[in-house]
Amino acid sequence: MSAKFTSVAAMLLALTASTALAQTKDTLTIDLPNDAATLDPHLQWNTDSYSIYRNIFDNLLTRDVKGEIVPQIAKSWKYLDDKTLEFQIRDDVTFQDGSKLTAEDVAFSINRIIDPKLKSPQLSQFDQIAKAEAVSPTVVKMTTKSPYPALLAQLVKLSIVPKAYVEKVGDQEFNLKPMGSGPYKMANWQKGVQTELEAYGSYWRAKPPFQKVVFRTVPDVSTRIADLKTGKADLVRDVPPDQAESIKNDANSQVLSVPTERIGYLFINAQGGVTKDVRVRQAIAYAIDRKALVEALLEGYGKPVEVLGAEPVFGYTDKIKGYEYNLDKAKELVKAAGAEGATVEFLTSPAYSRATVEAIQQMVNEAGLKVEISSSDQATFLKRRQGDPANAGGLAFGAWSCACQDVDGVIFPLFRTGSIWAKYSNPKFDEAVDKARVILDKNERLKLYEQAYQILKDDVPGMGLYQAYALYGANKKLKWQPTANEAMFVTDMSWQQ
């Protein structure tokens, strides 16, 4: 073989190898525990729903990999005064039907989600907004009812919908056939089976990394993990900690995890049953060994917390310490309250770890109470948990995230008098959190939240147990770094051959 031919052959071989390495995967398959409850981004807010629809829509703002709030549809913003914010809107974005996204669509999206007629479960996250108006094709002016320092953090979750399309098809049809300006457009939704998305070729930011994304509904965790190991799925959500090692030991799979803003917490009813007595609530707090829960049940994929908050959340403090595990103290308080042997109903559902609930039950029983677990479907659980104090149980387990990384979205809805979640009322707490949501000075807000957390510690209407870690199983060829707000943006993923 001549030197010239050898050189050409080597070049061809190198080119072939380079092409092989550059080849991309056409379809990404993701297993979710549940089907989307809705694909209208202004309605339901749950992990499986937004795992899908956040790839169909762009948001007004977003967060970067460091968690900082950065532009998306709004390319910049400024405060005109304490209650008026002006957004400059991008002029190079189109919806998936080719129509141009303008300030009218942004104003419409804001006014739609705050409209009580829509009955959005997200309304409490945006209820400080009074109105929005388009003052030009690229400028939106938003007015709030009062100064609201958590506004930008909440707007990270606001998806922009097309005004003309929504008004044409109506809310019900829009949910079934959503259309946005995001990197992927709806192809097919087989309810209870799977949702198929296709890449939007004219997406303004970058070319989507996969031509097609299939989100499959796979409730059984063992099936999700089997799908991953056999290559039927490329990414699976909600891996139990005790299954992580099995994935790590698989040659073609990897575990991806990240500490999140989500908090595993225990609700304690301060307005009903034996737990109306603060001594009983304090006894329950002393009886729970948070460190043991994390070590025994989370296998390192979690971290005990002192308050109902975590480091990614603004307003979180490490200055207020929680109750140390002290079973003797717990027994003393139960006895002092005359509550020995008293029955405490513990609400839960299959959405939560049964092992965790039973471990808490055992710990509280050891303090001298009689905890009875009441498990129901999630809809019934939520109805009771959000309902009248007399029917809300004495205890309930929860995993809370506002996806806003601000305490205003955590302790305000959980404990503020009048909230559907609160079975508790303390005017001093209300005063602190009310002031904190209208003061723009960060240092003053931190002081107020420290006061609020101290009140919660003393009154114990609930307690933080641990900071949860998001846990995923993925093919080793998938490159992706999960984030603290549990967003599943496919555009942040890539496939390495």
Side-chain angles (χ1 to χ4, degrees), residues 25 45 67 69 73 78 117 138 142 162 180 183 202 208 215 240 243 305 315 381 398 412 420 460 468-469 471 475 487:
K25 182 178 174 67
W45 181 259
I69 297 174
I73 292 302
K78 64 180 179 180
K117 294 179 182 178
T138 58
M142 178 190 296
S202 299
F215 293 90
Q243 298 292 317
V305 294
F381 167 84
F412 185 93
I420 59 174
V460 209
Y469 285 26
L471 201 55
N475 189 293

Side-chain angles (χ1 to χ4, degrees), residues 79-267:
Y79 274 94
L80 302 182
D81 56 51
D82 286 354
K83 297 192 292 183
T84 310
L85 193 57
E86 186 178 86
F87 295 91
Q88 294 289 330
I89 306 305
R90 299 189 67 92
D91 63 357
D92 58 349
V93 180
T94 59
F95 289 110
Q96 292 152 359
D97 64 352
S99 61
K100 193 175 184 65
L101 186 155
T102 71
E104 287 285 349
D105 300 293
V106 174
F108 172 79
S109 299
I110 296 168
N111 292 325
R112 181 175 187 255
I113 204 167
I114 65 174
D115 184 352
K117 294 179 182 178
L118 185 66
K119 296 181 180 179
S120 172
Q122 301 180 52
L123 179 59
S124 65
Q125 310 286 325
F126 300 99
D127 63 358
Q128 289 302 299
I129 300 173
K131 65 176 180 178
E133 55 186 321
V135 297
S136 80
T138 58
V139 177
V140 170
K141 185 169 72 173
M142 178 190 296
T143 306
T144 57
K145 298 173 183 176
S146 65
Y148 184 42
L151 179 62
L152 294 178
Q154 300 289 18
L155 290 175
V156 164
K157 300 177 295 186
L158 181 72
S159 296
I160 306 305
V161 303
K163 179 177 185 289
Y165 179 70
V166 175
E167 291 181 336
K168 177 183 177 182
V169 303
D171 294 337
Q172 191 170 11
E173 184 71 7
F174 179 62
N175 178 40
L176 296 174
K177 298 179 181 178
M179 182 183 73
S181 62
Y184 288 91
K185 57 185 179 180
M186 170 64 73
N188 186 37
W189 184 10
Q190 295 175 266
K191 287 194 173 182
V193 181
Q194 65 182 35
T195 305
E196 299 177 20
L197 306 183
E198 294 178 349
Y200 175 44
S202 299
Y203 185 53
W204 62 277
R205 293 177 71 190
K207 181 181 178 181
F210 305 95
Q211 184 59 34
K212 184 177 178 181
V213 183
V214 179
F215 293 90
R216 303 185 332 122
T217 305
V218 187
D220 182 67
V221 65
S222 60
T223 302
R224 294 201 300 275
I225 292 173
D227 287 349
L228 175 66
K229 291 181 177 179
T230 59
K232 193 173 182 179
D234 305 305
L235 178 65
V236 301
R237 194 183 76 73
D238 200 21
V239 173
D242 62 0
Q243 298 292 317
E245 198 64 29
S246 169
I247 294 174
K248 285 182 179 179
N249 291 334
D250 182 68
N252 298 314
S253 305
Q254 61 177 323
V255 171
L256 301 176
S257 70
V258 64
T260 73
E261 64 177 283
R262 187 175 299 278
I263 301 298
Y265 76 99
L266 185 68
F267 154 77

